[in-house]
Amino acid sequence: MKIFYAVQATGNGHISRSMELLPYLQQYGEVDIFLSGDNSNLKLDAPITYRSKGLSLYYTCNGSLDYWKIARSINFLSLKQEIKQLPVEKYDLVINDYEYITAAACEAKKVPSVNFGHQASFQSMNVPRPEQKSKAGEWLLKKYARADRYIGLHFEPYDDFIVTPVIKKEILEATPTDEGHITVYLPSYCEPQLIEIFSGFKDHHFEIFSRESKEDRRVGNILFKPVSKAMFNKSMIHAHAIITGGGFETPSEAIHLGKKIMAIPIRGQYEQCCNAAALRKMGVMTLDKINDNFPEVFKQWMEDYKPIRRDYSQSIPLSMKKLFES
């Protein structure tokens, strides 16, 4: 079997998930990878057959999307050409983790595909949404990468085509401990803003993973670290608690490890607002934004909120079963 696997590289989560799934997919056939997007901090540790700048997300330094930079990065003529040239028709199975060019190529060439990933779960209205729904956000989640079949991943199996998150092997095999530090990953904030936010909590030590850092750098009670899979895994496994955005992979891993979480969605990213709604229902503290009340909120979180835990160890076998036996 020849398998085409489209991986979105607009963030680290899609790449992290693909590296875990690839060995299992290779048991079923020869896998060619299409990597699309250019603002991930992680490298895909596998041969890449097709590469595209694709459609990427960019951020400000204050917790929101940079819409102007996103718009400027889009080359419609190049996209049209890539859609035409992408050889999806040569494959027995096309797996798409929320990637637009692949979806458009399959639609144009009448090639069946499977949308397999977190965003696929939003085809179900059973998946939690924020009180204020976004029509544009709902359209993007449901129509941006259309497919013939959907296999979704989410914190809970909200529907019959949804399974629980794919967790990295290093996390599955880890023995969590509490060394007292708080692991922070807020990619839509820059280091000056992060220093302003966290330097006032003198009684707490923060390990902050920053897209700006090339090496470890200490600023008072903050240790800035470059985004690295191995270092982030180690920090999270031994953390007292996790502060992260409203993404999917990091909260999932923190939940599997039984760590206390604070989730702060990137403003303007509707999927993250939906994730926050789901986490809130599970008992996780979520914030719309960081403002002047943050010291009081942080204190409440430290004193009143408890970790939650789910066992996600069977997620990959369940995912493969749905993918190849349906």
Side-chain angles (χ1 to χ4, degrees):
M1 177 183 287
K2 291 191 67 177
I3 301 170
F4 181 99
Y5 186 19
V7 180
Q8 180 69 261
T10 57
N12 297 324
H14 298 271
I15 288 180
S16 176
R17 177 163 60 243
S18 69
M19 287 191 285
E20 297 307 312
L21 290 173
L22 185 59
Y24 294 87
L25 292 174
Q26 289 171 332
Q27 295 176 18
Y28 292 89
E30 177 186 343
V31 182
D32 286 348
I33 296 173
F34 175 39
L35 189 64
S36 176
D38 68 349
N39 61 339
S40 169
N41 299 108
L42 293 182
K43 294 185 181 297
L44 182 58
D45 297 330
I48 299 168
T49 309
Y50 311 101
R51 187 72 172 90
S52 171
K53 183 180 178 182
L55 297 172
S56 295
L57 298 179
Y58 300 97
Y59 310 109
T60 68
C61 287
N62 296 296
S64 64
L65 291 172
D66 188 336
Y67 295 104
W68 175 238
K69 189 173 182 180
I70 292 169
R72 283 188 304 165
S73 72
I74 299 173
N75 185 327
F76 290 101
L77 288 176
S78 177
L79 281 176
K80 185 176 180 181
Q81 190 68 17
E82 287 184 276
I83 291 167
K84 182 178 179 180
Q85 293 179 349
L86 198 65
V88 291
E89 70 277 6
K90 295 181 179 180
Y91 292 85
D92 302 303
L93 175 63
V94 176
I95 303 170
N96 185 357
D97 189 351
Y98 199 62
E99 198 286 310
Y100 171 76
I101 296 171
T102 301
C106 287
E107 185 174 21
K109 300 177 182 184
K110 312 299 181 187
V111 174
S113 66
V114 182
N115 187 329
F116 180 23
H118 177 53
Q119 284 82 2
S121 68
F122 292 97
Q123 297 294 321
S124 172
M125 291 309 297
N126 293 338
V127 170
R129 262 69 166 185
E131 291 183 10
Q132 189 69 36
K133 292 180 183 176
S134 164
K135 289 184 179 180
E138 288 288 336
W139 186 91
L140 280 171
L141 286 172
K142 292 179 179 179
K143 304 295 185 181
Y144 177 80
R146 285 181 288 189
D148 299 271
R149 277 202 300 137
Y150 296 87
I151 299 173
L153 304 171
H154 217 303
F155 304 124
E156 304 278 8
Y158 298 106
D159 213 321
D160 58 5
F161 68 95
I162 299 173
V163 296
T164 49
V166 169
I167 304 297
K168 294 194 291 278
K169 181 181 179 182
E170 295 88 341
I171 300 297
L172 289 175
E173 296 178 350
T175 302
T177 63
D178 184 350
E179 296 183 358
H181 66 269
I182 298 172
T183 300
V184 179
Y185 181 56
L186 295 171
S188 61
Y189 288 87
C190 296
E191 290 184 9
Q193 287 73 25
L194 292 166
I195 291 170
E196 183 178 353
I197 292 166
F198 293 107
S199 61
F201 301 105
K202 302 298 184 184
D203 295 334
H204 298 279
H205 171 59
F206 299 92
E207 293 189 357
I208 300 182
F209 287 80
S210 166
R211 52 191 166 97
E212 298 173 275
S213 290
K214 302 301 179 186
E215 58 185 18
D216 286 8
R217 181 171 70 95
R218 185 171 293 280
V219 181
N221 61 328
I222 296 170
L223 178 62
F224 283 107
K225 301 179 77 67
V227 178
S228 154
K229 177 182 175 182
M231 286 193 292
F232 187 74
N233 288 345
K234 181 180 178 182
S235 179
M236 187 163 56
I237 289 165
H238 302 300
H240 174 68
I242 315 289
I243 298 177
T244 185
F248 181 59
E249 273 67 29
T250 297
S252 298
E253 291 172 350
I255 290 169
H256 181 81
L257 290 169
K259 302 292 183 178
K260 178 157 60 176
I261 307 166
M262 179 190 291
I264 309 168
I266 295 170
R267 294 198 304 278
Q269 198 161 339
Y270 181 64
E271 176 218 330
Q272 294 209 359
C273 295
C274 294
N275 293 342
L279 290 168
R280 199 176 303 119
K281 286 188 174 183
M282 297 173 73
V284 171
M285 173 175 272
T286 66
L287 305 181
D288 293 332
K289 60 182 179 179
I290 295 175
N291 56 26
D292 293 341
N293 294 328
F294 187 68
E296 296 174 21
V297 171
F298 181 86
K299 181 181 179 183
Q300 180 191 6
W301 176 60
M302 293 300 292
E303 293 178 352
D304 298 340
Y305 278 74
K306 304 297 182 185
I308 59 171
R309 190 181 189 284
R310 301 285 190 276
D311 182 358
Y312 292 149
S313 58
Q314 295 304 307
S315 298
I316 292 180
L318 289 172
S319 298
M320 292 299 104
K321 182 177 181 180
K322 283 191 176 292
L323 182 60
F324 288 101
E325 294 184 8
S326 58

